[in-house]
Amino acid sequence: MTDTIKLTIWNEFRHEKSNPAVQKIYPKGIHSTLAESLEKDAKIEVSTATLDEDQHGLNEEVLNNTDVLIWWGHCAHGEVSDEIVEKVQQRVLSGMGLIVLHSGHYSKIFKRLMGSNCSLRWREAAEKERLWNIAPGHPITQGIGEYVELLNEEMYGERFDIPEPDQLIFISWFEGGEVFRSGATWTRGNGKVFYFRPGHETYPTYHNKDVQQVIRNAVHWAKPMVNIPTNLAPNTEPLESLSEKSATFGEAGIKGQ
Amino acid sequence: MTDTIKLTIWNEFRHEKSNPAVQKIYPKGIHSTLAESLEKDAKIEVSTATLDEDQHGLNEEVLNNTDVLIWWGHCAHGEVSDEIVEKVQQRVLSGMGLIVLHSGHYSKIFKRLMGSNCSLRWREAAEKERLWNIAPGHPITQGIGEYVELLNEEMYGERFDIPEPDQLIFISWFEGGEVFRSGATWTRGNGKVFYFRPGHETYPTYHNKDVQQVIRNAVHWAKPMVNIPTNLAPNTEPLESLSEKSATFGEAGIKGQ
Amino acid sequence: MTDTIKLTIWNEFRHEKSNPAVQKIYPKGIHSTLAESLEKDAKIEVSTATLDEDQHGLNEEVLNNTDVLIWWGHCAHGEVSDEIVEKVQQRVLSGMGLIVLHSGHYSKIFKRLMGSNCSLRWREAAEKERLWNIAPGHPITQGIGEYVELLNEEMYGERFDIPEPDQLIFISWFEGGEVFRSGATWTRGNGKVFYFRPGHETYPTYHNKDVQQVIRNAVHWAKPMVNIPTNLAPNTEPLESLSEKSATFGEAGIKGQ
Amino acid sequence: MTDTIKLTIWNEFRHEKSNPAVQKIYPKGIHSTLAESLEKDAKIEVSTATLDEDQHGLNEEVLNNTDVLIWWGHCAHGEVSDEIVEKVQQRVLSGMGLIVLHSGHYSKIFKRLMGSNCSLRWREAAEKERLWNIAPGHPITQGIGEYVELLNEEMYGERFDIPEPDQLIFISWFEGGEVFRSGATWTRGNGKVFYFRPGHETYPTYHNKDVQQVIRNAVHWAKPMVNIPTNLAPNTEPLESLSEKSATFGEAGIKGQ
């Protein structure tokens, strides 16, 4: 019971309402397709939230009950309130795992955690992507072979403006001649972050078994530890006895600010 | 001539005006003491800027003419305008070096580039600090021996909430029983970032020759490369001919968004 | 059942036979004290092996049945056969976890995996060590507070000649004025490596509950994944059709070497 | 004068003697082609050394006078003496830069410094390689655009069994469907290591201007610092006064081993 991972899948949920081609692939939204896949794992307890809900579906109670958050956004990054982004960031720093998918590279939350622009080159031409497994011993690639192949995807190419990852997990090859660091991990505060590239809304990527497996693995990997000592800038007493001070300092220099 | 590094030293410059003990140590401000030391290096062209100047002394012309920026702030981080912070961040991402000193760990610009809270434990008790040189082969430690010793400093202790550094340069030992990652480097976009711990305003730290040497080395290390290809999210043509597509996709799926 | 981790604890087992002071602390050897502590974890299946056994107790069958190997050695590193070291290294590269303790920093296997000299400064003076928890969100520090304190230990000081770790877990403070990166992780091939500093033979360090907890956590963390695709330098057919070649190359250039 | 970098280019120099196709491309050997290109840089002082010379041309005097060593080997890795490899490794650890080219991934020296098998997949089919510049702000990519294109090269594909690099510099795209981390840096001891993939002997790769530029940049980048404090495992006196010890330890516990 205590082993259950509380997962919230957040989706912008706009393309699915306005674009019939997308609606055909994800009739109930990308979040629902992901939820159906992840609910099959008895250790994952799935909820969903979307942009147009109150507080984007991410009020304090929801966030405090989320162990791992998945994020898909694209055309409405700017509509996500800064206040919610701040809260999500603080929750990551205190341990919540975060999985950012595809066009989420330009979301406020991802850019804020990375500190860089997260820009990349791109092309929408239904081309072939092959994600090479660079980290076969990593939990995120369990059950995945030497590569994952997707027949039709949007191209994302380097240079991807991200800080050097803790670990690089996948590198993509694209038919049109580009490469991309398509799976990578970082730590921010006590939280784990995984970026996973595939998932343009006009292709059935989240129905792919390998893609589902990678995301499921990532949910397990990103699960927070339970007993994290907190330490927010305490003014502390010395653990050892201090020497006598021979010099005179300003008040600030002796007793603090 | 083209080798000259244009350095701007930014200082909050408040303690020096209000606290006589600080004023005695830095009569013209911390920035001026640093400037005097760094001007001795013929390859460094020094300017200064302070919080209370117009646009904090960091207007676009100044930023565009800055190769490396040093940042010292403490009691007035909140007074730095978000707009200027955004501009400084973008300048770092496009290549400007940034050296953050001491209490600058809590500055808006450092937290923004790190993506974490940058919190730490602290104590103001004029105690001894010994900075161990962990990276003797790194440009930043050239001319520095096995450690730098400071008789009186504020204590900063772990856990320092920062992303894993690209490289750890110094680890501090404190008399009262703590340790601290007191010198560390990161890359953000095309810019180099160095955090260096020492320099509480009530002690004469920036008059110390070793501390001056580390900062001078860091200025040289953080100097940007000159010819950086820019690549801000271009929508690009394929470099290779693409295969015929057998499936039909939504408009978005073929011709872009 | 399938979740069980097969752990082998390897110990040089010499000091315990020749030095009465050590014998008093570890009457059946350091490996036995560690084994007693780790056997309490129902998910760990413990075996031990020592230097003076045939093939140092690490024949192929033992190695092939080991998920995680703990290594303690000190005065007889040179007596470990290169052939066994080679086999241990290959087993790590194919996924076995390795936990190197204390003076094992100079073992053949650790130096081989690191590629550097792994030298450090040291002093034997029963002084106080405080290991600061730098990675409170990491599996290895679960259940550990802000630091672990050991009243009497050998001092190890920087610079520790190791490659930049994947993640730094502990930094030690020593009474005599030094610091040390006392817990750190690396990946080699598919295997995880953890170095943990404490454990000089003349102090009761491995009876300490926190030290035992860290080692137990590390055993779980270092457990290998089960399904790792192997890929040892295959000469492979193209996945995509290649273009016609217009130039003529040497035979080697067309058909391989 | 003191700025001059003493470079030694080491080449196996066997294919050029036995294979007419290779001889046509590199009549005086790969080392000579590289030397001609690098000698044009007034700050680089070039020497060469080859396998069949006495001590492989790398006696102590040569090594002690080498700031940066380039290594190309392929069919005769096993003929390089372990004694010389040990000396090269120690020289790297004390600060010498090392640039390993192409099939040098399987050289004794590279495997020893990495600690892993350095295996990869490969194919000899004169196919197109495009090296994407992942680190446009890095000294090694100065003067290089968004990518380097080579019309005909041997394919090297992932997974490349290397430790996570300090920094990833290039990722290659291959016509046949693979990707490869084709430029990467590591630090070992005080020395910098750069691996650069291109350069199969049957193609004119080292005549390519971009490839020459990358190697020239790497020579400058890998240059050692001049004043590195040495610290090889000293037994040291405390820097601070130690507390009285209340317990009794074995002799070893008080006075050392």
Side-chain angles (χ1 to χ4, degrees), chain B residues 36-245:
Chain B
E36 279 162 33
S37 149
L38 293 162
E39 276 162 1
K40 289 176 198 155
D41 185 323
K43 292 201 169 164
I44 304 178
E45 198 180 305
V46 184
S47 305
T48 65
T50 57
L51 178 63
D52 292 327
E53 294 173 51
D54 179 48
Q55 297 184 61
H56 315 320
L58 296 174
N59 65 34
E60 232 155 284
E61 206 201 321
V62 169
L63 279 176
N64 289 341
N65 280 288
T66 298
D67 293 321
V68 178
L69 179 67
I70 290 179
W71 194 276
W72 196 102
H74 182 210
C75 62
H77 292 316
E79 294 181 42
V80 178
S81 98
D82 288 340
E83 201 193 325
I84 300 292
V85 172
E86 171 70 22
K87 283 179 184 168
V88 173
Q89 181 184 17
Q90 287 307 317
R91 180 79 185 142
V92 170
L93 297 179
S94 65
M96 182 180 73
L98 179 70
I99 298 168
V100 175
L101 296 175
H102 190 62
S103 40
H105 74 93
Y106 256 176
S107 63
K108 288 182 178 177
I109 182 62
F110 189 60
K111 287 165 69 174
R112 204 180 252 246
L113 287 164
M114 295 295 104
S116 59
N117 279 328
C118 305
S119 53
L120 46 82
R121 64 177 58 227
W122 61 280
R123 177 173 58 243
E124 241 287 53
E127 67 199 271
K128 191 193 286 184
E129 174 178 17
R130 187 177 290 113
L131 298 103
W132 286 90
N133 178 354
I134 304 301
H138 195 281
I140 289 179
T141 59
Q142 287 315 289
I144 299 298
E146 297 191 321
Y147 57 82
V148 173
E149 200 170 294
L150 300 171
L151 274 181
N152 301 102
E153 254 293 353
E154 184 180 15
M155 185 283 291
Y156 278 10
E158 295 283 349
R159 185 191 174 220
F160 186 18
D161 179 18
I162 45 169
E164 200 75 15
D166 284 359
Q167 197 164 355
L168 192 53
I169 309 291
F170 293 104
I171 296 176
S172 282
W173 177 98
F174 285 96
E175 194 184 337
E178 289 86 358
V179 298
F180 194 73
R181 286 171 288 174
S182 49
T185 70
W186 295 267
T187 307
R188 287 295 178 271
N190 295 314
K192 290 174 171 177
V193 180
F194 177 55
Y195 175 78
F196 189 47
R197 199 212 75 84
H200 191 62
E201 68 273 7
T202 58
Y203 313 110
T205 300
Y206 296 123
H207 294 282
N208 179 289
K209 295 299 171 201
D210 282 339
V211 168
Q212 292 179 352
Q213 175 77 35
V214 168
I215 296 173
R216 184 163 47 246
N217 290 341
V219 170
H220 283 271
W221 167 82
K223 186 190 171 185
M225 298 291 113
V226 282
N227 295 308
I228 299 174
T230 58
N231 167 14
L232 272 172
N235 184 353
T236 54
E237 293 299 306
L239 297 158
E240 308 290 325
S241 60
L242 298 178
S243 62
E244 291 291 315
K245 304 303 165 196

Side-chain angles (χ1 to χ4, degrees), chain A:
Chain A
M1 188 75 93
T2 58
D3 270 356
T4 305
I5 304 168
K6 290 175 194 159
L7 170 70
T8 301
I9 303 172
W10 191 90
N11 182 18
E12 190 181 276
F13 197 28
R14 291 276 175 89
H15 294 296
E16 299 95 324
K17 294 176 193 164
S18 62
N19 183 333
V22 178
Q23 202 168 36
K24 210 170 139 189
I25 302 171
Y26 300 114
K28 294 183 230 160
I30 282 173
H31 54 294
S32 301
T33 299
L34 288 172
E36 280 162 32
S37 148
L38 293 162
E39 276 162 359
K40 289 175 197 154
D41 185 323
K43 293 202 169 166
I44 304 178
E45 198 181 304
V46 183
S47 306
T48 64
T50 56
L51 178 64
D52 292 327
E53 294 173 51
D54 179 48
Q55 296 184 65
H56 315 319
L58 297 174
N59 64 36
E60 233 155 282
E61 206 199 321
V62 170
L63 280 177
N64 289 340
N65 280 289
T66 298
D67 293 323
V68 179
L69 179 66
I70 290 180
W71 195 277
W72 196 102
H74 183 210
C75 62
H77 293 314
E79 293 181 42
V80 179
S81 98
D82 288 340
E83 202 191 324
I84 300 292
V85 173
E86 171 70 21
K87 283 179 185 167
V88 173
Q89 180 184 18
Q90 287 307 316
R91 180 81 184 142
V92 170
L93 297 180
S94 65
M96 181 179 74
L98 179 70
I99 299 170
V100 175
L101 296 175
H102 190 61
S103 40
H105 75 92
Y106 256 175
S107 63
K108 287 182 180 178
I109 182 62
F110 188 61
K111 286 164 69 172
R112 206 181 251 246
L113 287 164
M114 296 295 105
S116 59
N117 279 328
C118 305
S119 52
L120 46 81
R121 65 176 58 226
W122 60 280
R123 178 174 57 243
E124 242 287 53
E127 66 199 273
K128 191 192 289 184
E129 174 178 16
R130 187 176 291 113
L131 298 102
W132 286 91
N133 178 354
I134 304 300
H138 195 281
I140 289 180
T141 59
Q142 285 316 289
I144 300 297
E146 296 192 320
Y147 56 83
V148 173
E149 201 170 294
L150 300 171
L151 273 182
N152 301 102
E153 254 294 351
E154 183 180 17
M155 184 283 291
Y156 277 9
E158 297 281 349
R159 187 195 174 217
F160 187 16
D161 179 18
I162 45 170
E164 200 75 15
D166 285 0
Q167 196 165 354
L168 192 53
I169 310 292
F170 291 104
I171 296 176
S172 282
W173 177 98
F174 286 95
E175 194 183 338
E178 289 86 359
V179 297
F180 194 72
R181 286 171 289 174
S182 50
T185 70
W186 295 266
T187 307
R188 287 293 178 274
N190 295 313
K192 290 173 170 178
V193 179
F194 177 54
Y195 174 79
F196 189 46
R197 199 212 76 83
H200 191 64
E201 68 273 8
T202 57
Y203 312 111
T205 300
Y206 296 122
H207 294 282
N208 180 288
K209 295 300 171 202
D210 281 340
V211 168
Q212 291 178 354
Q213 176 76 36
V214 168
I215 296 174
R216 183 163 49 248
N217 289 342
V219 170
H220 283 271
W221 167 83
K223 184 189 172 185
M225 297 293 112
V226 282
N227 295 308
I228 298 174
T230 58
N231 167 13
L232 272 174
N235 184 355
T236 52
E237 292 299 306
L239 297 158
E240 307 290 326
S241 60
L242 299 178
S243 61
E244 292 290 315
K245 304 304 165 195
S246 54
T248 309
F249 302 99
E251 249 187 283
I254 294 298
K255 300 201 180 148
Q257 307 138 322

Side-chain angles (χ1 to χ4, degrees), chain C residues 12-170:
Chain C
E12 189 180 277
F13 198 29
R14 291 276 176 88
H15 293 297
E16 299 95 324
K17 294 177 193 161
S18 62
N19 183 333
V22 178
Q23 203 168 37
K24 210 169 139 189
I25 303 171
Y26 301 113
K28 292 183 230 160
I30 282 173
H31 55 293
S32 302
T33 298
L34 288 171
E36 279 161 34
S37 149
L38 293 163
E39 276 162 1
K40 290 176 198 155
D41 186 323
K43 292 202 169 164
I44 304 178
E45 199 180 304
V46 184
S47 305
T48 64
T50 56
L51 178 64
D52 293 327
E53 294 174 51
D54 179 48
Q55 295 184 61
H56 315 320
L58 296 174
N59 65 34
E60 232 156 284
E61 206 199 322
V62 170
L63 280 176
N64 288 342
N65 280 291
T66 297
D67 293 323
V68 179
L69 179 67
I70 291 180
W71 194 276
W72 197 101
H74 183 210
C75 63
H77 292 316
E79 293 181 42
V80 179
S81 98
D82 288 340
E83 201 192 324
I84 300 291
V85 172
E86 171 69 23
K87 283 178 183 167
V88 173
Q89 180 184 18
Q90 287 307 317
R91 180 81 184 142
V92 170
L93 297 180
S94 65
M96 181 180 73
L98 179 69
I99 299 169
V100 175
L101 297 175
H102 190 62
S103 40
H105 74 92
Y106 257 174
S107 63
K108 286 182 179 178
I109 182 62
F110 189 61
K111 287 165 68 173
R112 205 180 251 246
L113 288 164
M114 295 295 106
S116 59
N117 279 328
C118 304
S119 52
L120 47 81
R121 64 177 59 227
W122 61 280
R123 178 175 56 245
E124 240 286 53
E127 67 198 274
K128 190 192 289 184
E129 174 178 17
R130 187 178 290 112
L131 297 102
W132 286 90
N133 178 353
I134 303 301
H138 195 281
I140 288 179
T141 59
Q142 286 316 287
I144 299 299
E146 296 192 320
Y147 55 83
V148 173
E149 201 170 295
L150 300 171
L151 274 181
N152 301 103
E153 253 294 351
E154 182 180 17
M155 185 283 292
Y156 277 10
E158 295 282 350
R159 189 199 174 214
F160 186 17
D161 180 19
I162 46 171
E164 200 74 14
D166 284 0
Q167 197 164 354
L168 192 52
I169 310 292
F170 292 105

